Amino acid sequence: MSLKAVLRNTLLLLVVSTLAATTAAQAQRLPGGVHPEHYSLTLTPVLQAATFTGTETIDLTLDTPSKTITLNAAEIKFLSVTSGSQTATVTLDGAKEQATFIFPNELPAGKVILAINYTGILNDKLRGFYLSKTKARNYAVTQFEPTDARRAYPSFDEPALKATYDISLVIDAADTAISNTNLIADTPGPIAGKHTLKFATTPKMSTYLVAFLVGDFKCSSGKSDGVPIRACSTPDKLELTKFAVESAEYILHYYNNYFGIRYPMPKLDMVALPDFEAGAMENFGCITYRETDLLVDSKTASIPAKKRVAVVVAHEMAHQWFGDMVTMQWWDNLWLNEGFATWMETKPVAKWRPEWNFPQDDAQDLDNTLNLDSQPTTRTIRAKAETPGEINEMFDGIAYGKAGAVLGMVENYLGEETFRQGVHNYLQAHLYANATAEDFWNAQTANSHQPVDKIMQSFVTKPGVPLLTLSEQQPSRVPIMQSRFFLSAPANAGTTQQWALPVCIKTTSKPICRVLTPEDSALPIPMDIGLPVFNANANGKGYYRTAYTPSQFNAIVAKAETALTPPERIGLVGDRWALVRSGQGTVGDYLNLVLALKHDPNAAVLESALAKVTSIDTRVASDDDRTQLAAILRHEFSPIYTALGQPAKNEPFDRQQLRALLFETLGAAKDPAVLAEARQLTDRAFADPNHKDKTLDPVLTDAAIVITTANGDDALYEKVLAASKDPKDPGAQSDALRNLARFRDPSLVTRTLDYAVSGQVRNQDSWIVLAALLRNRETRDQTWSYIQQNWDKVHAQFTTSSGVRVVNATGFFCTAGQRDEVISFFATHKVDASERTLSKAIDSINDCIHLQSTQQPNLHQWLELQSKQ
Ligand SMILES: [Zn+2]
């Protein structure tokens, strides 16, 4: 699955759930001894009644003769279960989501065929076989990962119990259906007004990767390496599917070469669903998407919007090999699937569109992940997960971001081609089967003859982030110390945890890498190598924070723009800010670094630097400080913005981004000229809903709307509200929803809150509005009061993960009073599976209180000093 696109968009403080504190979970695994080999499924959904009937046969083998067979089923009503001439009685265990069939006589060891008739419901919870709605009609669609195939068909619903599938759907004559493989028969009946679609037999695959989608989808199509590719949507959005096809054509060919194993399915479909919980889902041959992650207007969309679609497409397609063809043995190794797809998702697109600057995005993601993993309540990459609740909690920033970053570090250490060959060997050895973490790192170790097993094992089984503390360089060596890094100052005392850590020193040619062991107290530096500047994280791919001595740091800053790459500069800025948060530096030191880098020509570097200034503004500064800080930002950055000039045709993307970034920064700092320009651009944008005006730069226009809505009045609010209700372009609709949450006038904030919980906003999206309002310093208090007073309405909008995300967003508070309110409110108003998230949010609030109390005096001092200059 992809979560990232959603998270990146909302700039959420992603909170990790940990499993350490859970009480011993009731084991919910199937008893074993039963091996499913083939499912034959015929499903008849009734879209108006929101129900379905199912006819299923399962071919399986029994290890020993048995009278009973236990499998998974939830919300299923069994009509009959037979094997040969025997009819079983069925007992259900709702808590375990299991059904046990009891036959009068023993079934023999060896081959057995079960025949099952049942009914189920098309639910509204965006999981299992569920109903998705538009104004025009209903759709019946599926989302099974991790444990919801059992809601659509009784099954041995564990990833290692792979089988082949024959799937048939009986649907209305005017409708169509899409499933994992190609359509092989379409026959009228079995009753008037229906037709039956039969799909080709699938390869061996896990239950959670099965998909079937019913409705009036329309598709655009393409082809790559002989494989037909389609991108599909509801009929009104067909025009928005072309860019996804174009991306997938490039990516499929790229992956065929990269993996050295050809895409195995007869076709690839990608389908946008109006209601969808995650970002996207990698069902084998039939990938499903949230509309905003697949649909984009190839002619008018901004580059960031296209990047988002291409990256999600690349993530899900990577899973077709890594996840679908070769699957983790059990959910404790979910990181193998998700870490790999996260690491891989920018690789083909960066090759396809080098000017879109993906290495900088990867560096920014790494910085965010390091912060997330530097809280005391983080978890290890591999963690125990037995119940559906625990398994769902595994889909977090550790399984995605951290695991992906650790793979990126290993690739940087081994070299691209050596790592690629290791990936190929691993996949080739486990095709259509399952594998563990050890299988992966053993394959990499055998191929490279380097200690990948030691590196990966230490990062997969130890929690948190290494800190590399350097001393002054001596002849041919730099003394070092390794420890565990925490963002909160008190947690840093006395931490001795160490890793097998690959450290790469930047040189004028190839980096020199060495794996540090706990015994190492120095990095050897050969005398004869050229050091452009001493940098201990070449390429910025290392999963660690670095603390330089003051003289080392000053030397790096002095040469940063020429000697370091943009990802290395992003790492430098990220390390510096993290060290300030941990008490090893001051806000003033950090702001001095930002001013030293203010002419950096790279938009992502400056964006990284300024994001932390926003953090100082919202989390550290008093109201008076904010006014002074804004004045300094205007003074420092206004000339740089002016020097960039107006947007020109065919400008590089990086320059567009830089202009928009400075524009937004100056807008937030209330620069009068920028506010006026933003207002004008916003008016022009709303007067041009069909993007006819080619002189409007889409990136700058988006920034203008961000600025203007933050200061917006009733008239503008009405326009944005109307845009949030217009389903024509899901990306524009979603942007409008986020922009609604920027208005600060209290009466407009109340309108936004009422709207978010009114049922007019899809359940998949309403949490986005609440979280954005909680994040904003100006709207936070009002939003929190509203949530408490209107809990029933708020709670009614929650899906599997959205309640947790609202709990998460309370982590943006920064006072002891609000922390205590959060604790007492959620003690009596429970949100499902949110206990760990709540303790992480409390951690974040405490961190902020600590940061503010220690750094606010320093900020005053720094601001005073600046005003005298
Ligand atoms: Zn994924």
Side-chain angles (χ1 to χ4, degrees):
M1 272 194 285
S2 167
L3 308 172
K4 191 175 221 165
V6 177
L7 294 168
R8 205 184 250 160
N9 266 346
T10 53
L11 297 171
L12 257 192
L13 173 81
L14 176 61
V15 162
V16 178
S17 311
T18 57
L19 303 170
T22 36
T23 48
Q26 190 189 10
Q28 297 204 350
R29 305 263 191 127
L30 293 169
V34 185
H35 310 279
E37 282 167 3
H38 181 74
Y39 293 82
S40 192
L41 280 172
T42 300
L43 291 142
T44 308
V46 185
L47 272 55
Q48 284 311 316
T51 59
F52 64 94
T53 59
T55 308
E56 179 183 30
T57 61
I58 310 176
D59 298 15
L60 50 84
T61 55
L62 289 181
D63 285 350
T64 54
S66 178
K67 276 188 172 179
T68 66
I69 289 178
T70 298
L71 45 50
N72 294 109
E75 296 169 353
I76 295 280
K77 194 171 156 201
F78 288 91
L79 303 178
S80 69
V81 178
T82 57
S83 182
S85 57
Q86 293 201 65
T87 298
T89 54
V90 180
T91 63
L92 298 173
D93 184 335
K96 286 186 170 181
E97 301 181 352
Q98 290 177 355
T100 299
F101 305 151
I102 305 158
F103 290 92
N105 304 310
E106 273 189 341
L107 300 170
K111 288 208 178 305
V112 165
I113 298 176
L114 299 177
I116 302 166
N117 288 301
Y118 63 96
T119 62
I121 50 167
L122 298 172
N123 69 70
D124 61 354
K125 302 286 180 215
L126 316 190
R127 63 181 189 186
F129 201 9
Y130 71 89
L131 211 56
S132 177
K133 297 178 183 176
T134 64
K135 286 218 166 72
R137 58 165 295 153
N138 289 352
Y139 295 80
V141 300
T142 56
Q143 166 61 37
F144 293 159
E145 190 180 25
T147 59
D148 293 315
R150 63 192 65 170
R151 294 174 201 278
Y153 62 102
S155 50
F156 299 86
D157 194 10
E158 297 184 355
L161 299 176
K162 290 192 171 187
T164 54
Y165 290 81
D166 282 324
I167 293 170
S168 296
L169 289 155
V170 180
I171 57 175
D172 290 349
D175 277 350
T176 186
I178 303 173
S179 187
N180 303 88
T181 53
N182 51 315
L183 189 65
I184 51 169
D186 180 351
T187 45
I191 57 167
K194 299 274 181 187
H195 64 150
T196 301
L197 305 190
K198 185 171 166 48
F199 294 89
T201 307
T202 71
K204 270 183 82 176
M205 57 190 272
S206 302
T207 46
Y208 78 89
L209 293 167
V210 171
F212 29 89
L213 317 168
V214 178
D216 58 354
F217 302 107
K218 292 275 180 283
C219 311
S220 51
S221 40
K223 194 172 244 200
S224 180
D225 286 2
V227 177
I229 296 173
R230 296 191 300 173
C232 313
S233 67
T234 56
D236 52 315
K237 301 191 173 77
L238 178 62
E239 270 307 298
L240 305 178
T241 55
K242 295 198 169 79
F243 177 75
V245 171
E246 203 189 323
S247 312
E249 285 177 330
Y250 182 89
I251 294 164
L252 192 135
H253 176 69
Y254 180 95
Y255 284 163
N256 275 341
N257 286 330
Y258 184 89
F259 292 117
I261 296 166
R262 289 181 72 84
Y263 175 75
M265 299 297 265
K267 55 87 180 176
L268 174 66
D269 285 327
M270 305 182 289
V271 189
L273 303 178
D275 293 279
F276 195 77
E277 169 100 56
M281 174 64 213
E282 67 266 24
N283 313 302
F284 215 178
C286 180
I287 304 172
T288 44
Y289 293 80
R290 184 179 271 250
E291 289 188 331
T292 48
D293 287 337
L294 189 73
L295 305 179
V296 72
D297 189 323
S298 51
K299 290 190 206 80
T300 60
S302 66
I303 289 174
K306 289 181 177 172
K307 282 175 76 172
R308 184 179 67 224
V309 168
V311 162
V312 179
V313 166
H315 178 107
E316 303 308 329
M317 286 178 67
H319 276 311
Q320 304 298 304
W321 285 260
F322 215 107
D324 294 4
M325 240 186 285
V326 180
T327 311
M328 78 255 136
Q329 184 73 25
W330 182 252
W331 299 106
D332 59 340
N333 274 319
L334 175 71
W335 69 274
L336 263 185
N337 270 10
E338 295 305 347
F340 188 88
T342 301
W343 166 77
M344 192 60 161
E345 70 191 13
T346 54
K347 209 175 178 67
V349 196
K351 192 88 187 241
W352 185 39
R353 295 281 186 262
E355 69 279 15
W356 288 356
N357 296 327
F358 285 103
Q360 282 93 302
D361 292 356
D362 290 345
Q364 287 177 299
D365 287 346
L366 171 59
D367 181 37
N368 293 334
T369 300
L370 288 167
N371 286 340
L372 169 78
D373 196 24
S374 298
Q375 288 194 297
T377 40
T378 192
R379 70 168 176 94
T380 52
I381 287 182
R382 179 158 59 191
K384 185 176 149 297
E386 292 291 328
T387 65
E390 289 172 347
I391 293 164
N392 269 302
E393 283 182 298
M394 297 294 278
F395 292 80
D396 65 9
I398 298 300
Y400 287 74
K402 182 176 185 181
V406 167
L407 292 170
M409 172 169 70
V410 171
E411 186 206 32
N412 185 53
Y413 165 65
L414 292 180
E416 204 172 352
E417 176 53 25
T418 306
F419 186 79
R420 190 202 66 76
Q421 186 65 48
V423 169
H424 168 85
N425 294 354
Y426 161 79
L427 291 177
Q428 192 68 47
H430 303 281
L431 285 181
Y432 302 106
N434 297 76
T436 64
E438 283 76 7
D439 293 325
F440 181 76
W441 66 57
N442 289 340
Q444 289 289 0
T445 306
N447 179 59
S448 64
H449 310 292
Q450 299 292 332
V452 178
D453 48 354
K454 293 201 173 58
I455 298 167
M456 289 201 69
Q457 186 170 23
S458 85
F459 277 91
V460 166
T461 60
K462 293 181 189 195
V465 172
L467 171 66
L468 190 65
T469 304
L470 304 167
S471 299
E472 284 304 328
Q473 189 168 348
Q474 299 168 359
S476 76
R477 66 198 289 273
V478 175
I480 51 111
M481 203 180 75
Q482 212 196 124
S483 56
R484 180 171 171 190
F485 177 73
F486 292 96
L487 277 181
S488 53
N492 275 297
T495 57
T496 54
Q497 186 179 307
Q498 299 196 332
W499 287 257
L501 180 66
V503 172
C504 295
I505 305 288
K506 191 175 177 71
T507 75
T508 42
S509 55
K510 252 181 77 171
I512 296 185
C513 298
R514 182 188 172 90
V515 179
L516 289 184
T517 64
E519 294 76 46
D520 286 322
S521 61
L523 270 174
I525 311 284
M527 297 293 274
D528 53 349
I529 60 162
L531 296 178
V533 64
F534 178 67
N535 178 286
N537 193 351
N539 300 333
K541 298 272 190 184
Y543 195 83
Y544 51 90
R545 294 292 187 191
T546 311
Y548 295 100
T549 67
S551 65
Q552 286 167 341
F553 184 77
N554 293 336
I556 296 174
V557 174
K559 281 185 153 184
E561 270 176 46
T562 51
L564 301 188
T565 63
E568 288 165 349
R569 303 208 288 280
I570 289 166
L572 183 77
V573 166
D575 284 357
R576 193 65 174 172
W577 175 238
L579 288 167
V580 170
R581 288 178 69 183
S582 78
Q584 302 174 61
T586 65
V587 163
D589 295 339
Y590 179 75
L591 290 168
N592 286 335
L593 174 64
V594 175
L595 297 189
L597 296 177
K598 72 176 178 180
H599 288 291
D600 199 298
N602 190 281
V605 174
L606 214 50
E607 184 182 34
S608 243
L610 288 169
K612 289 136 179 97
V613 177
T614 303
S615 197
I616 293 169
D617 179 59
T618 54
R619 293 163 81 80
V620 179
S622 68
D623 289 343
D624 285 349
D625 296 337
R626 299 185 87 187
T627 310
Q628 284 191 61
L629 185 59
I632 291 166
L633 291 172
R634 289 194 301 269
H635 176 74
E636 298 285 341
F637 288 97
S638 184
I640 303 171
Y641 170 70
T642 308
L644 279 174
Q646 287 300 308
K649 246 190 162 172
N650 301 325
E651 241 179 354
F653 172 55
D654 195 57
R655 195 175 167 91
Q656 290 177 25
Q657 267 193 309
L658 187 60
R659 181 184 295 105
L661 169 71
L662 292 169
F663 190 59
E664 211 177 309
T665 302
L666 292 169
K670 302 234 178 330
D671 182 299
V674 165
L675 292 179
E677 193 184 347
R679 177 81 223 194
Q680 204 202 7
L681 279 173
T682 303
D683 290 344
R684 281 176 62 197
F686 278 99
D688 178 38
N690 296 317
H691 308 287
K692 295 249 172 3
D693 182 353
K694 298 299 170 206
T695 62
L696 277 174
D697 172 342
V699 182
L700 194 65
T701 306
D702 285 348
I705 295 171
V706 167
I707 295 167
T708 312
T709 47
N711 305 287
D713 55 15
D714 289 32
L716 181 61
Y717 188 89
E718 294 302 337
K719 288 181 190 169
V720 179
L721 182 64
S724 82
K725 292 177 178 172
D726 181 357
K728 185 177 67 196
D729 179 341
Q733 191 179 10
S734 161
D735 287 348
L737 204 54
R738 289 181 167 83
N739 286 329
L740 272 187
R742 297 184 204 280
F743 286 86
R744 294 173 189 177
D745 179 289
S747 65
L748 296 178
V749 172
T750 303
R751 282 186 67 185
T752 305
L753 286 162
D754 284 339
Y755 177 53
V757 301
S758 64
Q760 296 176 73
V761 177
R762 288 185 190 275
N763 285 359
Q764 66 182 21
D765 295 329
S766 79
W767 69 270
I768 295 172
V769 178
L770 298 176
L773 287 166
L774 281 172
R775 186 170 192 274
N776 191 324
R777 179 161 165 165
E778 281 77 12
T779 55
R780 183 180 293 159
D781 297 353
Q782 188 184 346
T783 304
W784 177 233
S785 301
Y786 183 94
I787 289 175
Q788 294 179 84
Q789 284 159 19
N790 298 276
W791 181 247
D792 289 346
K793 276 193 268 178
V794 172
H795 192 259
Q797 304 299 317
F798 290 167
T799 55
T800 316
S801 64
S802 61
V804 177
R805 285 164 169 171
V806 171
V807 174
N808 176 13
T810 61
F812 288 113
F813 288 124
C814 202
T815 68
Q818 283 170 323
R819 175 196 60 204
D820 297 344
E821 272 180 42
V822 168
I823 294 171
S824 67
F825 182 77
F826 287 118
T828 50
H829 299 78
K830 296 283 184 200
V831 176
D832 286 348
S834 71
E835 278 162 56
R836 258 74 62 200
T837 303
L838 181 59
S839 54
K840 298 282 296 177
I842 302 305
D843 259 6
S844 294
I845 300 173
N846 284 332
D847 279 359
C848 184
I849 295 169
H850 182 78
L851 184 71
Q852 193 180 72
S853 68
T854 53
Q855 295 292 341
Q856 205 178 61
N858 180 267
L859 179 63
H860 286 317
Q861 259 175 21
W862 186 86
L863 291 168
E864 287 304 310
L865 208 65
Q866 292 297 309
S867 67
K868 287 184 192 125
Q869 282 177 358

